[in-house]
Amino acid sequence: MTVFFPSHRRTGSAVTSNVVSMTTSASAATASEGAIRTGAVTDRLVAANEQYAAAFTDPGMDARPVLHVAVVACMDARLDLHAALGLELGDCHTIRNAGGVVTDDVIRSLTISQHKLGTRSIVLIHHTNCGLEQITEDFRTELEMEVGQRPAWAVESFRDVDQDVRQSMQRVRTSPFLLHTDDVRGFVFDVKTGLLREIDPA
């Protein structure tokens, strides 16, 4: 199933878009990691921001998402959420982490999003070929042996992406801190086709 949010008109100043041409690492000529100067990537981002700011105009929005929706998704670089969901600047809150799992910090962000900024709907998005399917909670032990301290956080690794989406939906729906848990839907994004597949919470 695909999800499409219909386009909408805003009152007030028009929102303009400025595209900055940047070569992605997927299309750039390959170079050894050692050949990349420390800070070079950040320098490139800062230079791109200067171009962006030169043509930037204040869209006249406040912090409340126009569509009253919060999207929780994986941090994977292959997910272009705004393009994939037909979203525009100001439409949603986007909360991303490794795996797109619902952790205490995600609940924190969702709680602020709902209580203070008016969102009502929650969309959860995992994806195929996720890196969290390749590691286990043993990663915490590996870190402890490497740095001498065991992390307090869980890795939240999983083997069944569908089941992990269901677990995330359940964590949202049972949180005592959220005002609105009646419109919570979960999906798996296919990184090969770009399509969303909805997960039955049952």
Side-chain angles (χ1 to χ4, degrees):
M1 172 182 177
T2 58
V3 171
F4 176 71
F5 292 113
S7 60
H8 49 277
R9 298 181 182 274
R10 297 184 178 88
T11 58
S13 303
V15 178
T16 58
S17 174
N18 182 48
V19 177
V20 177
S21 177
M22 290 180 65
T23 303
T24 66
S25 57
S27 60
T30 57
S32 65
E33 291 184 10
I36 299 175
R37 179 178 60 82
T38 300
V41 173
T42 303
D43 289 343
R44 188 177 79 173
L45 300 182
V46 171
N49 173 255
E50 291 173 355
Q51 295 179 49
Y52 171 80
F56 183 80
T57 56
D58 181 1
M61 302 174 182
D62 64 19
R64 294 174 177 267
V66 173
L67 296 181
H68 308 290
V69 62
V71 179
V72 179
C74 185
M75 67 183 186
D76 194 289
R78 294 168 291 182
L79 274 66
D80 185 348
L81 289 176
H82 275 67
L85 301 176
L87 294 166
E88 299 178 20
L89 180 68
D91 279 346
C92 73
H93 280 160
T94 305
I95 304 161
R96 302 184 72 161
N97 66 19
V101 295
V102 174
T103 61
D104 286 345
D105 194 60
V106 168
I107 293 294
R108 165 186 166 270
S109 293
L110 289 173
T111 300
I112 294 169
S113 177
Q114 290 194 350
H115 282 260
K116 298 300 183 182
L117 296 165
T119 60
R120 299 182 62 92
S121 300
I122 298 174
V123 175
L124 307 175
I125 301 178
H126 285 28
H127 66 92
T128 58
N129 192 28
C130 184
L132 282 191
E133 295 177 276
Q134 313 303 320
I135 62 177
T136 69
E137 294 297 325
D138 290 340
F139 178 59
R140 297 171 70 227
T141 302
E142 294 168 12
L143 284 174
E144 182 180 19
M145 295 183 68
E146 180 179 335
V147 305
Q149 182 176 338
R150 189 175 184 82
W153 39 261
V155 176
E156 297 281 359
S157 59
F158 53 86
R159 291 291 176 265
D160 184 334
V161 65
D162 289 22
Q163 183 56 35
D164 204 67
V165 172
R166 292 188 188 97
Q167 176 175 278
S168 289
M169 284 191 279
Q170 181 67 10
R171 287 179 177 177
V172 168
R173 287 180 171 142
T174 58
S175 172
F177 304 112
L178 298 177
L179 294 171
H180 309 290
T181 58
D182 55 323
D183 187 14
V184 180
R185 295 169 68 180
F187 302 84
V188 174
F189 177 86
D190 190 318
V191 297
K192 298 297 185 184
T193 67
L195 288 173
L196 290 176
R197 176 172 55 83
E198 185 157 12
I199 301 303
D200 186 340

